[in-house]
Amino acid sequence: MKRSNLPLEFGAEPMDIEIGPSHPAMHGITRLSTRLDGEVVTAVEVEIGYLHRGFEKECENSTYVQVIPYTDRLNYVSPILNNIGYSLAVEKLFGLDVPKRAQYARVILGELSRISDHLTCNGAMGMEVGAMTVFLWYVKAREYLWELTEEVTGARLTHNWTRFGGNANDLPDTFFDMLEERLKKVEAVLEEGVKMLFKNKIFLDRVKDVGVLSRERAIEYGFTGPMLRATGEPYDLRRAEPYLVYNELDFEIPVGTVGDSYDRFLVRHEEMLQSISIIRQAVAKIPKGGHYQHDRRAWLPDKTEVYGSIEGLIDHFKVIMEGSTPPKGEVYQAIEGGNGELGFYLVSDGTGKPYKCRVRPPCFNFVSALPEMLIGHYVGDIVPIYGSINMIGGELER
Amino acid sequence: MDMILDILTIPLVQAVIKILVFVLGFVMAVGTVLTLMERKWMSAVQDRIGPNRANIGKFTGHGALHIAADGVKSLLKEDTVPAGADRFLYLIAPLFSYFPAILVWAVIPFAGPIGSVTFQITDINTGLVFIFAVTSLGVYGAVLGGYASNNKYALLGAIRTSSQMLSYEVFLGLSLIGIFMVYGTVQVSKIVELQNTYWFDGLIPKWGIFTQPLAFFLFFTGMLAEAKRQPFDQPEGESEIIAGYYLEYSGARFSAYMLAEYVSIVAVSAITVTLFFGGYQIPWLFPDGFHLLGYSLALPPVVVALLQAGSFITKTLIFCWLIIIIRWTLPRFRFDQTMDLGWKKMLPLSMANLVVTALVLLLTA
Amino acid sequence: MTAPAETPPITARVEEKFPGAVTASHQQFGDETITVAKDQYLAVMTLLRNDPTLKFNLMVDLSAVDFLGQSPRFQVVVHLKSLSLGHRLRVKVGVGEDGPEACTLPTISKLWVAADWYERECFDMYGIRFQGHPNLKRLLLYESFVGHPLRKDYDIHLQQPRVELRPVRERYDYQNRNLTDPSETERRPL
């Protein structure tokens, strides 16, 4: 419901107001220079970069494997997806085969990450319209999932889990013991969220027809992921260009119709349920086998080999001194991240460090479209719309 | 001894004693405790523990010491005045918020009278009108605070407060005219007394909720808006305009605003109870004891007064609890939605309520 | 890195429309890539976006690579995706440092709005100026930042001087703000 067409009834001087960089509802630190006509937004300029850490420069000065922990800090609510994306890109460069079990493990943990990302976003959307309770419930549910990933990787948030050719460690038995119980708990929390918000007239009024971006404009802006699907375009990289073992799993791609905040909320909600179903299928299908396929160019050999054979010792020496050395070339690998197409573009000059490591951050496009979504809305809508795009500072500004 | 009794009969002395007991002993105490109880109840809703760290040695009192800790902290904090603020208005604005919330209590009866002793600070015959006059003063605290702070967010909050409170007062008044018509008076003590009359041979009390059910919902909604509580808390919506009109305040003045908010929650609850839930009345309890369907139980006046005060306090606390639960359950309206609700839905409804009430009274008279 | 025997359809289509525009192409790791001449860049991009057999409606990414010591020094890399046809393409264009048009490239933000911010970031990081860009200023870094940090000759340990604290008036000079509202010029304060 945009109000920009209404005439200025009582002539008033427009007011400029700075929202952010430090504002309690700013997810990262972003500045919205807003011009208000009464309560209606007439102009917005987005200023980002407060969380810029020089990720790409840092990558160019690190070996390939040293980049993996950096990727944890991109989208910091779904770190494993970043790990997977980067590792897939490097594996594509090396031409490595990943064992089936490792691929399934990546799917399972990646989907857990996706749920935690969507939980954060939907909860935050609730919080921004004043439903603080739902946010805290969702954060609680997120904690259940993070305990699961902690069981595998040893860390709640900064996992550093994938390697080139597999994963750092296998899924332990305790993980499978906990998984089903945790998923049930998360489903229960989601059910509570439905009761709390989906039938709440106030919430529906706040998010329906707010922040609408049509399908055409969304594509123009380069939207991907839930934001694009909310406009009705069923583009999901897990289906469009299947990676890992997604073509062996059965899931649906929820799409919206209007492209407003409400559709984004529903799409994310449904995706969480789909992810849970994907995890269940993957757990049922996961084969036995190794979690890591060693390649002498990519990473260190096993310790027994280092101490037991001269080849192992030489490989170890080479990887330590030079890093993993992929062939020359360039590669682009995209996966469906929490926010959409998370792409890694690597240029290798044959040395141990990436010559160029570019991240294609999905929420970059969303934030660039913010002015178009905001202009014409009320001040009270700024933050809910901003919340619905799920902007993650680490990924946006790198 | 006689002299003490003589002094006690002086109305002024009585009033001072009542003020001390009611306002300091009840209102302030409940308002202060509510600041903690809100956090505790909120934690219960949100599945977490809530504040429990303030301690003396090993004693934490399940967080009770946070009240003291908060009080001490706010008093010791620096009282900042932002650059460019209107200093005088900035400094006095919190009082405008604080005193109206307290003044309301002047006309709220806590229990029925025993002889010539009333449990009401003053029983002016324009009681309800006084309540309206005083609560609408509360808007000054917000507007002056927001205006004087020299802060755009605070100004937005102040503008929102003023338009919200002004709009909601309109139908708030209209919704109560039904009450005036049913009970035929605006004197609070009379209204409460008349709520102890009964339909069907002393079976169902004529409480406001039964005589004016629609008016209750309108009034309670309007009162939530007047107290700036969720879902009507855009004036201080923390995700939009941070804290609204009291954004720049710190220290004791900030806590004056906070305390005013909680005192006005208690006041809202008390007014609602007084007008719609029989005030201090307990059903079938008369000044001389219980009477129901021919059975009766005689009670001394002091016991009756104690029972009545207990009932009033219990009902008030139930409403405080309700208001807090509403806050942690519902999202907040957008500003234009608040206005739409007020002018387009509540106002016509309260007018319709008025007409229907008038017709019913006319036909049954 | 062996070149495929036959030319893939997208490259062939571009070559058919603009003979000589594609200076190099490869399909390494399955990513179809073309390198186009700088003067044909905008025309090729327009074709890629509008041609019914190509229909690259999603601009996925725009970045640059600094090949210090080579000529041309920079390579701007654009990743495109067609949502309806499902294919991808990587377009590379060399941007040199010499000559009158040093470090410039025509903007493609008229074709894809998404390119707006990507080009700003590219300008920020590599100093490549996009001609015709509506609002080409730094995106991630601040105005007073000296240099372009992703260039290979920018030392990773280099420290920038701190931004001086400006007086409040100057920081909040609202009258001279350039906010992105087309109707802004028409609005006059009363």
Side-chain angles (χ1 to χ4, degrees):
Chain A
M1 227 187 329
K2 294 203 172 190
R3 298 298 168 96
S4 53
N5 304 333
L6 289 182
L8 202 62
E9 285 166 29
F10 303 103
E13 210 170 311
M15 175 160 83
D16 282 4
I17 192 164
E18 301 288 335
I19 301 183
S22 63
H23 181 284
M26 283 287 136
H27 291 226
I29 28 180
T30 303
R31 186 162 92 174
L32 304 178
S33 301
T34 333
R35 177 158 295 167
L36 302 181
D37 178 11
E39 285 253 346
V40 180
V41 180
T42 59
V44 183
E45 189 178 305
V46 188
E47 189 182 307
I48 64 169
Y50 293 92
L51 205 61
H52 178 64
R53 296 149 301 172
F55 172 81
E56 289 175 29
K57 189 78 180 174
E58 205 65 50
C59 293
E60 288 171 14
N61 289 278
S62 311
T63 60
Y64 281 91
V65 85
Q66 281 172 343
V67 173
I68 299 177
Y70 290 145
T71 60
D72 282 335
R73 278 85 175 164
L74 288 173
N75 186 338
Y76 37 69
V77 288
S78 55
I80 283 187
L81 287 170
N82 307 329
N83 283 181
I84 293 171
Y86 175 72
S87 294
L88 283 176
V90 177
E91 280 155 10
K92 197 169 164 187
L93 197 58
F94 275 107
L96 296 180
D97 282 330
V98 182
K100 261 281 153 57
R101 184 174 174 88
Q103 295 197 24
Y104 271 100
R106 284 181 181 184
V107 166
I108 293 171
L109 259 66
E111 293 303 321
L112 285 177
S113 272
R114 191 186 314 283
I115 299 172
S116 79
D117 176 274
H118 289 357
L119 275 174
T120 316
C121 178
N122 275 4
M125 261 183 86
M127 179 175 69
E128 271 135 16
V129 295
M132 185 87 175
T133 303
V134 179
F135 176 70
L136 284 155
W137 286 351
Y138 278 15
V139 165
K140 178 184 72 182
R142 199 173 70 168
E143 205 62 38
Y144 297 147
L145 300 178
W146 283 356
E147 280 169 23
L148 275 176
T149 46
E150 190 181 9
E151 199 66 24
V152 182
T153 66
R156 286 166 71 245
L157 209 54
T158 49
H159 304 294
N160 183 17
W161 179 60
T162 58
R163 295 290 179 273
F164 310 138
N167 304 324
N169 39 20
D170 199 6
L171 300 180
D173 291 339
T174 47
F175 173 82
F176 292 105
D177 296 342
M178 286 160 77
L179 184 68
E180 187 52 35
E181 174 217 347
R182 293 298 162 95
L183 289 182
K184 283 222 172 72
K185 276 184 173 175
V186 171
E187 279 176 325
V189 171
L190 288 176
E191 193 58 36
E192 280 181 327
V194 169
K195 283 179 195 159
M196 197 81 164
L197 292 179
F198 284 22
K199 289 167 190 166
N200 189 324
K201 182 84 169 65
I202 302 175
F203 179 74
L204 297 184
D205 279 354
R206 285 301 301 271
V207 294
K208 270 190 179 168
D209 296 325
V210 160
V212 182
L213 208 64
S214 69
R215 188 169 169 167
E216 289 72 32
R217 287 302 283 172
I219 295 173
E220 283 273 286
Y221 270 112
F223 277 26
T224 46
M227 290 284 282
L228 181 63
R229 291 194 283 277
T231 64
E233 177 73 41
Y235 173 60
D236 189 324
L237 276 163
R238 292 175 290 177
R239 236 334 124 58
E241 297 165 18
Y243 54 95
L244 293 176
V245 287
Y246 278 110
N247 47 9
E248 295 171 19
L249 300 164
D250 179 37
F251 59 98
E252 283 172 18
I253 301 170
V255 290
T257 50
V258 187
D260 54 2
S261 294
Y262 180 61
D263 276 350
R264 288 168 206 149
F265 190 90
L266 289 185
V267 164
R268 288 206 176 89
H269 183 84
E270 187 57 37
E271 267 180 29
M272 284 190 265
L273 301 178
Q274 291 297 330
S275 290
I276 291 176
S277 133
I278 292 176
I279 293 168
R280 292 208 169 112
Q281 293 172 42
V283 168
K285 281 187 177 175
I286 189 165
K288 293 254 180 303
H291 64 275
Y292 180 65
Q293 177 68 46
H294 179 245
D295 184 291
R296 55 196 298 271
R297 294 166 303 159
W299 191 226
L300 302 174
D302 197 53
K303 275 289 177 204
T304 52
E305 223 172 294
V306 176
Y307 295 128
S309 74
I310 189 70
E311 292 86 0
L313 191 62
I314 291 173
D315 287 347
H316 185 272
F317 178 77
K318 293 248 322 165
V319 171
I320 289 291
M321 296 309 286
E322 295 173 5
S324 325
T325 45
K328 279 187 182 181
E330 52 185 343
V331 71
Y332 178 81
Q333 171 70 43
I335 65 155
E336 182 71 24
N339 270 332
E341 177 165 341
L342 176 72
F344 285 88
Y345 172 58
L346 298 174
V347 178
S348 157
D349 58 351
T351 63
K353 294 173 178 175
Y355 192 74
K356 161 89 183 167
C357 173
R358 159 81 183 163
V359 182
R360 190 266 175 194
C363 65
F364 194 75
N365 305 65
F366 308 159
V367 179
S368 75
L370 253 187
E372 185 160 334
M373 285 190 265
L374 290 180
I375 287 174
H377 284 300
Y378 286 98
V379 180
D381 282 332
I382 293 179
V383 171
I385 294 173
Y386 189 70
S388 77
I389 68 174
N390 193 18
M391 170 258 177
I392 306 285
E395 173 184 272
L396 174 72
E397 290 152 15
R398 302 180 302 284
Chain B
M1 192 66 198
D2 282 350
M3 207 174 86
I4 295 173
L5 282 179
D6 282 346
I7 292 174
L8 280 180
T9 54
I10 301 171
L12 187 65
V13 174
Q14 280 189 356
V16 168
I17 291 172
K18 284 178 201 165
I19 289 172
L20 285 179
V21 172
F22 294 160
V23 173
L24 285 182
F26 176 70
V27 180
M28 296 297 296
V30 171
T32 318
V33 172
L34 266 189
T35 58
L36 178 71
M37 289 326 288
E38 165 140 36
R39 283 189 274 167
K40 278 293 191 187
W41 275 325
M42 161 175 91
S43 312
V45 172
Q46 292 167 351
D47 205 358
R48 55 196 182 86
I49 298 167
N52 64 351
R53 295 299 166 95
N55 62 329
I56 299 172
K58 290 208 166 168
F59 175 72
T60 60
H62 293 281
L65 289 176
H66 276 270
I67 299 172
D70 288 347
V72 172
K73 186 181 82 172
S74 76
L75 285 175
L76 295 182
K77 275 209 167 185
E78 187 190 355
D79 187 12
T80 55
V81 182
D86 188 324
R87 200 182 163 81
F88 175 68
L89 289 181
Y90 181 82
L91 293 182
I92 62 161
L95 304 181
F96 276 98
S97 215
Y98 189 57
F99 282 113
I102 300 246
L103 268 179
V104 172
W105 291 91
V107 293
I108 305 279
F110 277 70
I114 306 176
S116 65
V117 183
T118 60
F119 294 93
Q120 187 179 11
I121 294 172
T122 170
D123 189 15
I124 49 180
N125 53 12
T126 54
L128 264 183
V129 182
F130 175 79
I131 290 178
F132 275 116
V134 166
T135 49
S136 52
L137 276 181
V139 73
Y140 283 105
V143 172
L144 290 181
Y147 162 75
S149 293
N150 188 29
N151 181 313
K152 287 173 176 174
Y153 288 107
L155 185 64
L156 272 178
I159 294 169
R160 286 179 177 192
T161 315
S162 56
S163 48
Q164 174 175 318
M165 289 181 82
L166 291 179
S167 336
Y168 273 63
E169 252 157 36
V170 174
F171 78 77
L172 205 59
L174 276 176
S175 67
L176 277 194
I177 292 180
I179 289 275
F180 304 162
M181 291 183 349
V182 170
Y183 297 113
T185 175
V186 292
Q187 198 172 351
V188 179
S189 60
K190 286 269 170 55
I191 292 178
V192 176
E193 251 170 59
L194 285 168
Q195 292 191 59
N196 205 19
T197 54
Y198 294 85
W199 284 309
F200 311 118
D201 275 346
L203 206 58
I204 297 178
K206 282 187 180 170
W207 282 8
I209 178 79
F210 300 124
T211 55
Q212 287 283 299
L214 182 59
F216 163 68
F217 290 104
L218 296 170
F219 178 80
F220 190 61
T221 315
M223 270 310 205
L224 279 181
E226 287 279 299
K228 300 183 279 292
R229 288 292 291 192
Q230 209 122 326
F232 300 102
D233 71 337
Q234 306 84 16
E236 49 202 61
E238 75 279 347
S239 66
E240 306 158 13
I241 52 173
I242 308 175
Y245 54 88
Y246 60 85
L247 170 62
E248 290 283 358
Y249 283 89
S250 68
R253 282 171 218 283
F254 171 78
S255 54
Y257 270 121
M258 288 308 280
L259 202 55
E261 190 181 321
Y262 286 101
V263 169
S264 63
I265 291 174
V266 190
V268 165
S269 312
I271 296 170
T272 313
V273 165
T274 306
L275 295 180
F276 292 96
F277 285 85
Y280 53 77
Q281 304 285 7
I282 301 175
W284 315 296
L285 177 67
F286 294 90
D288 57 344
F290 280 103
H291 294 281
L292 177 63
L293 299 173
Y295 299 97
S296 59
L297 173 69
L299 289 171
V302 178
V303 174
V304 170
L306 281 177
L307 278 177
Q308 285 174 336
S311 120
F312 176 77
I313 290 168
T314 313
K315 288 178 196 167
T316 307
L317 289 182
I318 287 174
F319 268 90
C320 291
W321 173 80
L322 183 66
I323 290 172
I324 285 171
I325 290 295
I326 285 176
R327 168 156 184 192
W328 297 109
T329 310
L330 293 182
R332 78 171 68 83
F333 282 111
R334 202 169 55 208
F335 183 64
D336 62 311
Q337 291 166 346
T338 311
M339 289 294 139
D340 279 2
L341 183 75
W343 288 106
K344 293 182 184 163
K345 300 198 177 107
M346 296 303 213
L347 189 67
L349 270 179
S350 53
M351 284 178 168
N353 181 50
L354 208 61
V355 173
V356 172
T357 310
L359 278 178
V360 171
L361 282 178
L362 194 68
L363 293 177
T364 55
Chain C
M1 277 190 91
T2 50
E6 65 214 53
T7 325
I10 301 169
T11 316
R13 176 74 183 162
V14 177
E15 275 176 342
E16 176 198 334
K17 282 278 179 183
F18 296 102
V22 180
T23 57
S25 69
H26 69 75
Q27 272 193 303
Q28 196 189 13
F29 307 117
D31 299 349
E32 194 170 345
T33 308
I34 57 171
T35 310
V36 298
K38 187 177 162 185
D39 51 350
Q40 303 264 43
Y41 168 67
L42 194 59
V44 169
M45 288 313 240
T46 316
L47 173 82
L48 289 172
R49 190 195 189 302
N50 296 333
D51 191 274
T53 61
L54 302 175
K55 276 205 254 180
F56 284 101
N57 52 356
L58 189 76
M59 205 217 74
V60 176
D61 190 19
L62 184 148
S63 181
V65 189
D66 178 11
F67 293 104
L68 184 63
Q70 293 181 24
S71 180
R73 177 174 170 183
F74 299 104
Q75 234 175 22
V76 171
V77 186
V78 186
H79 287 91
L80 299 174
K81 161 96 191 174
S82 168
L83 287 181
S84 45
L85 303 174
H87 50 222
R88 278 183 189 274
L89 181 67
R90 181 188 301 140
V91 182
K92 300 202 286 185
V93 55
V95 179
E97 262 195 313
D98 335 300
E101 293 201 334
C103 290
T104 58
L105 196 68
T107 179
I108 52 166
S109 60
K110 304 279 190 302
L111 301 171
W112 295 276
V113 194
D116 185 329
W117 270 34
Y118 283 117
E119 286 179 349
R120 277 178 70 184
E121 191 195 349
C122 195
F123 163 72
D124 197 358
M125 295 296 164
Y126 289 95
I128 297 168
R129 291 190 303 284
F130 291 87
Q131 289 166 331
H133 190 282
N135 184 26
L136 192 67
K137 53 181 189 181
R138 286 188 181 273
L139 181 70
L140 292 175
L141 302 172
Y142 45 95
E143 289 296 324
S144 55
F145 192 93
V146 182
H148 300 282
L150 279 185
R151 287 187 173 192
K152 288 284 179 188
D153 52 5
Y154 186 95
D155 183 13
I156 191 172
H157 299 297
L158 189 65
Q159 289 196 342
Q160 295 277 334
R162 293 193 172 181
V163 184
E164 277 182 35
L165 192 65
R166 285 162 290 170
V168 173
R169 273 292 146 225
E170 191 188 318
R171 255 189 294 169
Y172 298 102
D173 188 2
Y174 292 110
Q175 299 304 319
N176 298 326
R177 289 297 290 279
N178 179 26
L179 290 172
T180 50
D181 180 15
S183 66
E184 195 53 38
T185 46
E186 294 149 28
R187 188 188 297 282
R188 271 177 288 114
L190 293 170

